[in-house]
Amino acid sequence: MVPLNHYLYLSAILFSIGAVGVFTTRNAMIIYMCIELMFNAVNLTFIAFSKFLNNLDGHIFTFMVMTVAAAEAAVGLAIIISMFRNKETVNVDEINLMKG
Amino acid sequence: MFYILGAGAVLSALSMVTNKRPVSAAMSLIVTMFCLAGLYVLLDAHLIAALQIIIYAGAIMVLFLFVIMLLNIQEKEGRLAGHKIFLQFSGIVIVGYIFIKVVKLIGGSNLPARMEGSIKGFGTTSAVGEMLFTDFLLPFEIASVLLLAAMVGAVILAKAKID
C-alpha cells in the first residue's frame, strides 16, 4: 500500500501546477481549467485522508466540492460568453472595464 | 500502479498549462481526470471515481469544449508579454515558495497511522448514500438549491440582451 505521504505530495504538485497556470496564462478558458485542476488536487487529498482514517466524511466533502465546481463552471462559462460578446476577446489582460 | 497514474496525471497537467490552444488543453485535462479517477479506485472510492468520470470528464469538459468551439477564439500568442513578464515571474516564485514549504511540512509531520478495521462497503454507493441522506441531509439540500441558483444565473448571464 502506498503511504499517505505520496498522495499528499502528488496533490501538492497538481495544486501548484494549477496555481502557476492561473498566474501565467492569459486565456480565460485555460484559467478556468486550471481552477478545475486545483479542485481535483484538493479532492485527492480528501479521498486519501478518508481512506487512511477509515472515515467516509471525506467522500461527502468531495461530493460537495464537485457540486460547487459544476455550479462554478456553468456560471463562469456564461460570464466568459457574455464577456466575449462585448469585447471580442477572452484574454484577461485586455479586459480592464473595472480600472475606473 | 499509483506511480503510473500519478506520473500520467502530472504530465498531462503540465501539458495543459504549457499548451497554447484551448482544445488541446481541454483534452489534456480530460486525461488528468481519468488518471485521478484511477487513483480514487485505488483508494476504494468507487462512487467518487464513477462521479469523477461522469461529472468532470463528461459533463464539465463537454461544456468547456462546447464554449471553446462556440466562441471560435482566434489563436494569439498565449503568454503575457512586456512588463507583465515580471508579474508572471513573481507569481511563479510565490507558488514555488509555498510548494517547497508544503513539501517540507508533509515530510516533517507525524501523519496519522492507518486506522485498523474497515467500514462495511467502504466507498460504495450504498454506504456513501446512506450518510448523505442521514447525517448530511441539510448540506445535500443546500447543494441542490445552489445548483438551481447557478442554473438560473447562467441562463440570465448568457442571454443575448437583458431587457
Side-chain angles (χ1 to χ4, degrees):
Chain A
M1 183 86 194
V2 182
L4 179 56
N5 273 356
H6 293 194
Y7 283 103
L8 297 184
Y9 286 134
L10 175 62
S11 165
I13 292 169
L14 287 177
F15 192 90
S16 301
I17 292 172
V20 167
V22 169
F23 278 119
T24 57
T25 46
R26 62 178 201 169
N27 189 332
M29 297 298 301
I30 298 184
I31 290 180
Y32 266 104
M33 288 180 212
C34 290
I35 293 173
E36 298 292 327
L37 183 66
M38 286 154 81
F39 275 130
N40 271 283
V42 173
N43 280 349
L44 180 64
T45 314
F46 272 130
I47 299 282
F49 268 112
S50 174
K51 170 75 180 164
F52 279 84
L53 295 178
N54 207 1
N55 188 337
L56 270 180
D57 289 0
H59 291 221
I60 309 288
F61 266 92
T62 308
F63 186 81
M64 295 301 164
V65 170
M66 278 182 176
T67 314
V68 173
E72 175 258 344
V75 175
L77 290 173
I79 290 174
I80 289 181
I81 288 178
S82 61
M83 202 163 79
F84 186 79
R85 215 176 261 143
N86 286 323
K87 305 274 284 185
E88 294 289 317
T89 181
V90 291
N91 288 341
V92 286
D93 55 342
E94 290 170 33
I95 293 157
N96 46 17
L97 283 177
M98 291 178 92
K99 220 179 218 170
Chain B
M1 199 63 199
F2 167 79
Y3 298 99
I4 298 169
L5 288 171
V10 169
L11 287 180
S12 51
L14 279 176
S15 87
M16 176 190 86
V17 171
T18 54
N19 221 318
K20 277 187 204 165
R21 300 170 56 207
V23 176
S24 336
M27 291 300 168
S28 308
L29 187 56
I30 291 175
V31 175
T32 313
M33 303 292 184
F34 270 100
C35 290
L36 282 170
L39 289 174
Y40 294 163
V41 172
L42 287 183
L43 288 166
D44 284 341
H46 305 294
L47 173 66
I48 298 294
L51 285 179
Q52 169 90 1
I53 290 175
I54 295 170
I55 295 178
Y56 271 119
I60 292 183
M61 292 321 291
V62 166
L63 197 63
F64 269 98
L65 286 174
F66 184 72
V67 170
I68 291 169
M69 290 171 182
L70 183 77
L71 295 186
N72 190 19
I73 298 159
Q74 305 297 319
E75 274 164 32
K76 285 190 200 164
E77 198 257 325
R79 303 277 142 197
L80 296 173
H83 65 284
K84 284 176 180 133
I85 288 282
F86 172 71
L87 293 175
Q88 188 178 354
F89 182 72
S90 53
I92 294 175
V93 168
I94 291 168
V95 172
Y97 177 74
I98 295 172
F99 175 69
I100 290 167
K101 281 285 174 195
V102 167
V103 164
K104 273 189 188 154
L105 197 66
I106 295 169
S109 64
N110 292 318
L111 291 171
R114 226 179 136 204
M115 294 286 192
E116 291 304 318
S118 63
I119 299 171
K120 191 166 166 291
F122 183 86
T124 56
T125 313
S126 68
V128 177
E130 200 184 321
M131 281 192 85
L132 204 57
F133 285 111
T134 53
D135 295 346
F136 293 91
L137 185 60
L138 182 65
F140 181 73
E141 297 292 345
I142 293 173
S144 68
V145 175
L146 171 74
L147 284 176
L148 178 67
M151 196 171 74
V152 174
V155 169
I156 288 177
L157 279 174
K159 216 161 72 168
K161 220 174 238 169
I162 298 167
D163 309 316

